[in-house]
Amino acid sequence: MQPSRPTVSIIMPVLNEAETIAEALVPLQTLRAHGAEVIVVDGGSCDATLAQARAGCDLAISAPRGRACQMNAGALHARADILLFLHADTRLPEAAIPSIRYALGLGETWGRFDVRITGAHRMLRVVAQMMNWRSRLTGIATGDQAIFCKRDAFRSVGGYPEQPLMEDIALSRALKRITRPVCLDRRVVTSGRRWEKHGVWKTIALMWRLRAAYALGADPVSLARQYGYGP
């Protein structure tokens, strides 16, 4: 007998997350028990990320490094009609799946959650609020906001452009041509570790500069190097 079709496919791109991936998957086990599938896509880790992930997901696969490539690979294996792209350091709110299904069941095509960034620095709360406001104003979502969409819409726009940075903005622009996103006010919680590691103010300035450069047509490969992504 074939297993029942999942309601939502949660796709998580990972790289060198062996120490944290098992913990990241724990909150998703209740969702799996209620019909969601979890797909972990490794981008060529040099540690035991895949081995640590297998017990906590429905499918663990490898793909070329890069979030866009990895998420596209996960989408190809997804069995549900709804795709949810979740970073490994982001936690979903309670009732995330019913909220998504309700919104898309009303005829919406795609959307995202509001976000809260954890960390000691007070400015992280301001950063999160600015991200949420900007997203509502522009109709552009970031990966930290856990983008979700109907699988047919994702396929119709060609998935994520396989570029090393700003792939979330590019996907948002493509989906926005179909319809604006539904913005769920339930908050996902994402880690502020990168912000605090590199300096909150410095990271804010860097991200605004990179986003402005991308809007003006800068090469995502060059921007990725400036952001700190290695080859």
Side-chain angles (χ1 to χ4, degrees), residues 155-182:
R155 289 177 173 175
S156 73
V157 300
Y160 280 97
E162 296 193 348
Q163 57 193 54
L165 197 67
M166 306 294 178
E167 75 288 340
D168 46 3
I169 294 177
L171 178 69
S172 294
R173 287 175 176 172
L175 289 172
K176 189 178 162 185
R177 296 188 189 105
I178 302 174
T179 182
R180 287 182 64 85
V182 56

Side-chain angles (χ1 to χ4, degrees), residues 66-137:
R67 276 181 174 161
C69 293
Q70 291 168 239
M71 291 186 289
N72 284 341
L76 285 174
H77 288 82
R79 295 188 297 125
D81 290 329
I82 299 173
L83 309 178
L84 168 60
F85 299 97
L86 184 68
H87 290 181
D89 59 359
T90 300
R91 303 293 177 264
L92 293 171
E94 291 186 14
I97 301 303
S99 298
I100 292 171
R101 295 182 64 193
Y102 179 76
L104 298 187
L106 293 176
E108 303 288 356
T109 299
W110 71 291
R112 57 61 166 180
F113 292 87
D114 277 352
V115 66
R116 177 169 68 86
I117 304 174
T118 63
H121 202 291
R122 293 181 180 178
M123 194 60 191
L124 292 174
R125 292 193 291 272
V126 178
V127 170
Q129 193 59 55
M130 289 176 64
M131 289 171 61
N132 298 332
W133 285 344
R134 181 184 65 212
S135 180
R136 290 178 185 275
L137 178 65

Side-chain angles (χ1 to χ4, degrees), residues 209-227:
R209 179 170 62 81
L210 294 180
R211 287 178 67 95
Y214 183 66
L216 294 172
D219 178 16
V221 175
S222 173
L223 298 180
R225 293 195 188 102
Q226 295 176 54
Y227 186 64

